Amino acid sequence: MSTAVYPGTFDPITNGHYDLIERAARLFDHVVVAIATNPGKAPALDIDARIALARQVVAQHDNVEVVGFSGLLTEFMRQRQARILLRGLRAVSDFEYELQLANMNRAQMPDLETVFLTPEVENSYISSTLVREISRLGGDVSQHVHPEVAEALRNRYNS
């Protein structure tokens, strides 16, 4: 059984993330959306909220699992007995950083393979950072995220 792990902070999960998850669900037997605690990034939404929102967004996919994790990604991969790491590339500017990550991960776990997917064109400009900023400033992000995510962001920034 092929298991792919799609890691990130997902702060918040966007339509771009969902696009990749949906296609990965067709390519792999099992997809693990691994949500990092990542306190160094000072997430806007706590880990429990990010996990709950991601679960709502991917609920219709029986072969997608959402879990939280902390620590080294390669250790998480070993614990899950997964060798396929899924990453998204929105633009050429992402490639250099993602290549560096892929090589570092492979140095720590030689049998790990990183698979890159690109989002549909209409999702290629969406980032969690931009979605948070628009929402923080009172803008409408509903075209970029699932309705539950848009509501969570409104609640976060309007309270």
Side-chain angles (χ1 to χ4, degrees):
M1 184 161 113
S2 62
T3 298
V5 174
Y6 183 25
T9 52
F10 300 94
D11 185 37
I13 188 167
T14 68
N15 291 345
H17 294 127
Y18 178 72
D19 181 9
L20 296 185
I21 293 165
E22 186 174 46
R23 282 188 285 122
R26 292 191 305 256
L27 292 170
F28 303 102
D29 297 320
H30 187 68
V31 177
V32 178
V33 177
I35 301 183
T37 55
N38 209 346
K41 281 192 171 182
L45 300 170
D46 67 37
I47 186 72
D48 293 332
R50 289 182 280 142
I51 290 169
L53 288 169
R55 285 181 178 157
Q56 288 175 328
V57 170
V58 303
Q60 70 276 18
H61 294 286
D62 294 336
N63 65 332
V64 176
E65 174 186 13
V66 178
V67 298
F69 82 100
S70 61
L72 281 176
L73 175 60
T74 50
E75 276 307 307
F76 177 81
M77 302 277 297
R78 282 187 187 96
Q79 290 167 5
R80 299 303 298 237
Q81 298 179 341
R83 296 183 323 102
I84 302 166
L85 179 62
L86 177 64
R87 297 294 292 172
L89 292 174
R90 290 175 301 209
V92 173
S93 57
D94 291 343
F95 182 74
E96 188 173 348
Y97 175 71
E98 292 295 339
L99 180 63
Q100 184 180 17
L101 280 180
N103 287 332
M104 184 59 80
N105 285 328
R106 194 176 310 115
Q108 293 178 47
M109 187 176 167
D111 61 339
L112 181 145
E113 292 295 338
T114 301
V115 174
F116 297 103
L117 292 178
T118 58
E120 292 290 338
V121 122
E122 63 267 17
N123 295 317
S124 63
Y125 62 91
I126 301 171
S127 74
S128 293
T129 302
L130 291 174
V131 166
R132 280 193 316 272
E133 186 66 6
I134 291 167
S135 186
R136 187 181 67 77
L137 295 171
D140 178 15
V141 296
S142 60
Q143 68 184 17
H144 309 299
V145 296
H146 185 279
E148 297 288 333
V149 176
E151 183 177 338
L153 289 171
R154 276 192 303 276
N155 292 339
R156 163 69 172 92
Y157 291 114
N158 292 329
S159 56

